[in-house]
């Protein structure tokens, strides 16, 4: 984890070099005191359990829902049961976060900002009661198709609680552990299911061999309880008003506790990295000996 203090000049050439090097070295960039600011009205809304959880806060904690998804392309929350007018106010907050995140990326790594596809924003208003397994990111309905996945996280908790993470071993070590156990190919049934959900509009683009293989490795690791309990890790605390950034398809991570975390997802072509051979796609192709595009 590479930390930058509140007085760091984020547009200085040396800072930009350090941020880029840290991200591409599969580290987490921690910006202390550089968070996304809420209005007082937004603080009131997100701490109102009747608005956010329909009064069922304990049930929401048990199932870790809702996780709110703001689709940047359509400019609205998807699959949300939050009612108007608060829903529109939350959408406005997330819309501001989309702009703020892109501006921050432009400050830190201008090349990334120019090449990035801004995907969705994820907002987790529910307090986490269970430790999330160590994993790398591969989302079934949002396949990256080999693009690197950069995420900008913010802790916006009005009650001052930190967001606590665990950060695991190097990506290549993780892949080498589970690659021999993977099938590597999709069954006919899996392919048929992907075509079906693609036809009804739930799948955001076709899944490639990369998406399938990384997803399989992720699941193997999540199912390995001995690994989840004994794997090396570091614990990181991100206080309210702070931001952290990572290429989460190569950073092994899992949330431990916290509430009210924002997360903007970007997809980056591996070619924009200083060394594209260090991307998740290139690493998986090298270790598996197969083209995965």
């Amino acid at each position: 984890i590479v930390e930058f203090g509140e007085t760091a000049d984020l547009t200085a050439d040396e800072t930009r070099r350090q941020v880029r090097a840290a991200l591409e070295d599969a580290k987490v960039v921690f910006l202390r005191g550089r968070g996304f600011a809420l209005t007082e009205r937004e603080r009131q809304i997100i701490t109102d359990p009747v608005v956010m959880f329909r009064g069922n806060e304990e049930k929401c904690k048990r199932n870790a829902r809702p996780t709110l998804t703001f689709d940047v392309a359509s400019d609205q929350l998807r699959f949300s049961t939050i009612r108007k007018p608060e829903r529109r106010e939350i959408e406005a907050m997330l819309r501001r976060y989309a702009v703020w995140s892109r501006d921050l990326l432009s400050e830190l790594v201008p090349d990334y900002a120019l090449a990035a596809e801004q995907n969705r924003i994820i907002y987790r208003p529910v307090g986490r009661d269970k430790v999330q397994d160590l994993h790398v990111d591969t989302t079934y309905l949002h396949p990256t198709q080999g693009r690197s996945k950069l995420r900008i996280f913010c802790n916006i908790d009005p009650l001052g609680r930190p967001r606590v993470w665990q950060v695991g071993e190097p990506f290549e070590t993780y892949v080498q552990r589970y690659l021999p156990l993977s099938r590597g190919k999709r069954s006919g049934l899996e392919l048929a299911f992907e075509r079906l959900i693609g036809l009804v509009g739930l799948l955001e683009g076709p899944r490639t061999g990369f998406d399938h293989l990384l997803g399989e490795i992720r699941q193997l690791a999540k199912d390995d309880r001995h690994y989840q309990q004994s794997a090396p890790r570091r614990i990181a605390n991100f206080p309210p008003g702070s931001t952290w950034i990572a290429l989460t398809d190569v950073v092994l991570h899992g949330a431990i506790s916290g509430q009210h975390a924002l997360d903007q997802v970007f997809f980056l072509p591996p070619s924009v990295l200083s060394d594209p051979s260090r991307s998740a796609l290139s690493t998986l192709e090298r270790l598996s000996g197969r083209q995965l595009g």
Side-chain angles (χ1 to χ4, degrees), residues 1-19:
I1 297 175
V2 178
E3 180 177 339
F4 295 86
E6 296 182 35
T7 61
D9 181 357
L10 300 185
T11 62
D13 288 344
E14 179 59 17
T15 303
R16 287 175 167 176
R17 186 196 66 76
Q18 291 175 354
V19 167

Side-chain angles (χ1 to χ4, degrees), residues 142-147 204-208 210-211 267 270 281 292-293:
H142 303 271
T144 68
Q145 301 164 342
R147 292 168 291 179
E204 194 177 272
R207 298 182 78 237
T208 64
F210 167 83
D211 295 302
F267 290 161
L281 174 62
L292 298 170

Side-chain angles (χ1 to χ4, degrees), residues 2-24 28-32 34 104-110 112 245 274:
V2 178
E3 180 177 339
F4 295 86
E6 296 182 35
T7 61
D9 181 357
L10 300 185
T11 62
D13 288 344
E14 179 59 17
T15 303
R16 287 175 167 176
R17 186 196 66 76
Q18 291 175 354
V19 167
R20 185 171 191 152
L23 291 172
E24 296 185 13
V28 178
V29 170
F30 173 30
L31 306 179
R32 186 178 291 277
R34 301 297 184 99
L104 178 63
L105 187 60
S106 297
E107 275 192 284
L108 291 170
V109 194
Y112 284 9
I245 310 168
S274 300

Side-chain angles (χ1 to χ4, degrees), residues 46-256:
I46 68 173
T47 53
D48 187 337
V50 175
V51 172
M52 301 304 296
F53 312 126
R54 298 279 189 91
N56 296 317
E57 189 169 8
E58 289 307 313
K59 178 181 177 182
C60 290
K61 284 183 178 181
R62 288 195 299 272
N63 63 20
R65 294 290 183 271
T67 294
L68 303 182
T69 300
F70 180 78
D71 184 71
V72 174
S74 65
D75 195 40
Q76 62 183 352
L77 281 172
R78 300 185 66 191
F79 315 121
S80 173
T81 61
I82 296 174
R83 295 168 178 160
K84 300 175 184 177
E86 289 86 1
R87 174 175 175 147
R88 298 303 177 216
E89 294 178 274
I90 292 171
E91 286 178 333
M93 177 185 80
L94 298 177
R95 196 174 295 122
R96 285 196 302 109
Y97 185 61
V99 174
W100 183 89
S101 299
R102 183 169 279 282
D103 288 347
L104 178 63
L105 187 60
S106 297
E107 275 192 284
L108 291 170
V109 194
D111 288 354
Y112 284 9
L114 289 172
E117 175 194 317
Q118 195 160 6
N119 197 262
R120 64 203 182 282
I121 293 172
I122 303 165
Y123 171 37
R124 297 173 176 83
V126 182
R128 176 167 285 281
D129 279 353
K130 296 180 180 178
V131 175
Q132 187 180 35
D133 289 335
L134 285 167
H135 66 285
V136 291
D137 281 350
T138 171
T139 309
Y140 193 89
L141 296 178
H142 303 271
T144 68
Q145 301 164 342
R147 292 168 291 179
S148 294
K149 190 171 185 178
L150 183 141
R151 296 166 72 184
I152 297 179
F153 300 87
C154 275
N155 182 348
I156 59 168
D157 188 359
L159 299 183
R161 292 162 293 195
R163 186 73 170 176
V164 182
W165 263 27
Q166 53 181 342
V167 180
E169 66 185 353
F171 178 67
E172 187 159 333
T173 305
Y174 170 75
V175 170
Q176 289 173 328
R177 187 187 304 274
Y178 292 105
L179 185 61
L181 304 177
S182 66
R183 290 180 294 128
K185 294 183 179 180
R186 287 166 284 183
S187 68
L189 184 61
E190 288 171 323
L191 289 169
F193 179 70
E194 288 172 20
R195 285 194 292 270
L196 176 62
I197 62 175
L199 287 173
V200 298
L202 292 177
L203 188 63
E204 194 177 272
R207 298 182 78 237
T208 64
F210 167 83
D211 295 302
H212 173 74
L213 182 55
L214 189 58
E216 192 177 5
I217 289 170
R218 167 190 162 115
Q219 193 59 49
L220 286 166
K222 286 172 72 72
D223 291 340
D224 186 345
R225 302 323 302 168
H226 175 74
Y227 176 76
Q228 292 297 335
Q229 293 166 10
S230 63
R233 72 203 69 203
R234 175 180 174 179
I235 306 302
N237 288 268
F238 303 110
S242 67
T243 298
W244 61 106
I245 310 168
L247 293 170
T248 54
D249 55 344
V250 292
V251 172
L252 200 59
H253 64 285
I256 294 175

